[in-house]
Amino acid sequence: MLSKIQQEAKEVLTNYIEKNQLRKTPERFSILEMIYDTEGHFDAEQLYINIKNKSINVSRATVYNTLDVLVACELVTKHQFGSNHAVYEKAYGSRQHDHLICMECGEVFEFCDPRLHQIKQTAAELFDQKVRNHALTLYGNCQKEKCPNKKK
Amino acid sequence: MLSKIQQEAKEVLTNYIEKNQLRKTPERFSILEMIYDTEGHFDAEQLYINIKNKSINVSRATVYNTLDVLVACELVTKHQFGSNHAVYEKAYGSRQHDHLICMECGEVFEFCDPRLHQIKQTAAELFDQKVRNHALTLYGNCQKEKCPNKKK
DNA sequence: CTCGGTGCAAAGCTTTTGCATCCGC
DNA sequence: GCGGATGCAAAAGCTTTGCACCGAG
């Protein structure tokens, strides 16, 4: 059974599809459901594998296409943490947040700072732009004996 | 003839090479010089082409390898604006800054906001990490008839 | 019935890798 | 000379594309 968040996400997608005259294909809703069953970050390939494992027949092309749609309707956020490897996460029902990545072990921390909103406003005024979105990632190193899973 | 900035950048690289027991290969210095002759952002392929055009024989592998070295010694900054396409820019002698990208025309604005430093400090304390670096990119749309070179 | 969306596989693009050679130290 | 660095080309990895087919509206 679907959670409240999942149902609401489904509505958002439905509205977006109707407003933009796209088609309500079962694949799009299967993928959305799969994403909202996933905690934390994931990449396109993992999503593809997870869906295949549920014996749902989708192609990589459809996964990528659908991810674009979901990013466009703001149900999913796309991050470019490393090179050449986009990671995604569900956006609806989650607080907007940014990331701090430990370069020692790769652990990802999430945080939220209201001052960022002020920065966005200031920049928007300065360049006469409407700022729709942002990506802030901090790169750090642990201080102590934490970071149990050091990379190499 | 070399500018003051170029000479200082060269010294930074020399120091880094000596400290880390790397080798002072002519390729590394050619690439550094090429980068410091370049204004604004560039990608690995463009850099490779520019160097080839000066009839200096380097391979892509060396370009990528050297970019890594230059990023490590903080002479060059690497950005992941879009998917699958890293762009770089020289870092030495330039003010630390962040970017606002217009999604209409792709134009890149640069700005600097001291409040970001406070955000970094707060996050560092919160997760007991030492924050070495950050990447902040805002995504916007123009408001008016600016943005002459709209994409499509 | 139309044509947007899909599946599949192949192509595309940036980046990395293997290996023989080269040259800084 | 030793071993890191390079050049070349091939391989890898993520993402996109071409094409025929399917199915939502």
Side-chain angles (χ1 to χ4, degrees):
Chain A
M1 104 165 216
L2 299 182
S3 71
K4 181 163 173 261
I5 295 288
Q6 273 176 320
Q7 286 176 35
E8 290 175 1
K10 224 163 164 172
E11 282 172 36
V12 171
L13 177 56
T14 302
N15 288 339
Y16 181 85
I17 283 177
E18 286 172 357
K19 186 159 59 177
N20 293 76
Q21 303 181 70
L22 305 176
R23 288 184 182 169
K24 292 176 200 161
T25 64
E27 289 82 1
R28 285 175 172 161
F29 286 92
S30 297
I31 292 172
L32 177 65
E33 208 173 296
M34 185 74 242
I35 290 173
Y36 274 72
D37 274 341
T38 304
E39 282 306 318
H41 304 99
F42 60 89
D43 60 26
E45 186 64 18
Q46 191 55 56
L47 179 59
Y48 172 72
I49 293 169
N50 289 345
I51 292 170
K52 283 289 191 187
N53 284 344
K54 283 183 79 178
S55 303
I56 297 172
N57 189 27
V58 287
S59 65
R60 268 179 253 271
T62 300
V63 169
Y64 281 100
N65 167 47
T66 302
L67 280 171
D68 285 346
V69 172
L70 295 176
V71 168
C73 63
E74 298 183 311
L75 283 168
V76 167
T77 311
K78 180 177 184 176
H79 303 286
Q80 220 44 75
F81 286 155
S83 296
N84 301 343
H85 201 176
V87 305
Y88 300 82
E89 72 186 315
K90 59 188 174 198
Y92 185 82
S94 319
R95 216 165 71 275
Q96 149 69 45
H97 61 264
D98 295 291
H99 299 95
L100 191 165
I101 300 181
C102 175
M103 293 187 296
E104 300 282 329
C105 66
E107 189 174 358
V108 178
F109 304 94
E110 300 184 348
F111 67 94
C112 185
D113 195 312
R115 285 172 292 196
L116 186 56
H117 187 245
Q118 297 164 19
I119 293 177
K120 287 164 74 170
Q121 281 192 313
T122 303
E125 286 167 25
L126 184 57
F127 300 116
D128 196 25
Q129 293 255 330
K130 181 166 179 107
V131 173
R132 302 234 178 249
N133 220 325
H134 78 267
L136 171 62
T137 307
L138 309 183
Y139 298 93
N141 291 107
C142 341
Q143 300 281 51
K144 309 180 190 153
E145 75 288 349
K146 293 174 110 189
C147 257
N149 44 345
K150 257 190 208 301
K151 261 185 193 164
K152 293 179 192 125
Chain B
M1 117 180 201
L2 299 184
S3 72
K4 182 164 174 260
I5 296 287
Q6 273 176 320
Q7 286 177 36
E8 291 175 3
K10 223 163 165 175
E11 282 171 37
V12 171
L13 177 55
T14 303
N15 288 340
Y16 181 85
I17 284 176
E18 286 172 356
K19 186 158 61 178
N20 293 76
Q21 302 180 71
L22 305 176
R23 290 186 182 168
K24 292 175 199 163
T25 63
E27 289 82 1
R28 284 174 173 163
F29 287 92
S30 297
I31 291 172
L32 177 65
E33 210 172 295
M34 185 75 240
I35 290 173
Y36 273 73
D37 274 341
T38 304
E39 282 306 319
H41 304 98
F42 59 90
D43 61 26
E45 185 64 17
Q46 190 56 56
L47 179 59
Y48 172 72
I49 291 169
N50 289 345
I51 292 170
K52 284 288 189 186
N53 283 344
K54 283 182 78 177
S55 303
I56 296 172
N57 189 28
V58 287
S59 65
R60 279 188 186 72
T62 301
V63 168
Y64 281 99
N65 168 47
T66 302
L67 280 171
D68 284 346
V69 172
L70 295 176
V71 168
C73 63
E74 298 184 312
L75 282 169
V76 167
T77 311
K78 181 177 184 177
H79 304 286
Q80 256 342 114
F81 287 155
S83 296
N84 300 341
H85 201 178
V87 304
Y88 301 82
E89 71 187 313
K90 60 189 173 196
Y92 185 82
S94 318
R95 214 163 74 276
Q96 149 70 43
H97 61 265
D98 296 292
H99 299 94
L100 190 165
I101 301 181
C102 175
M103 293 188 296
E104 300 283 328
C105 66
E107 189 173 358
V108 178
F109 303 93
E110 301 184 347
F111 67 92
C112 185
D113 195 313
R115 284 171 293 196
L116 184 56
H117 186 245
Q118 297 164 19
I119 292 176
K120 288 164 74 171
Q121 281 192 313
T122 303
E125 286 167 26
L126 184 57
F127 301 115
D128 196 25
Q129 293 255 330
K130 180 165 179 109
V131 173
R132 303 235 177 246
N133 219 326
H134 78 266
L136 170 62
T137 306
L138 309 183
Y139 298 92
N141 291 108
C142 341
Q143 301 281 52
K144 308 178 191 157
E145 75 291 347
K146 292 174 111 189
C147 256
N149 44 343
K150 257 190 208 299
K151 261 184 192 165
K152 293 177 196 132

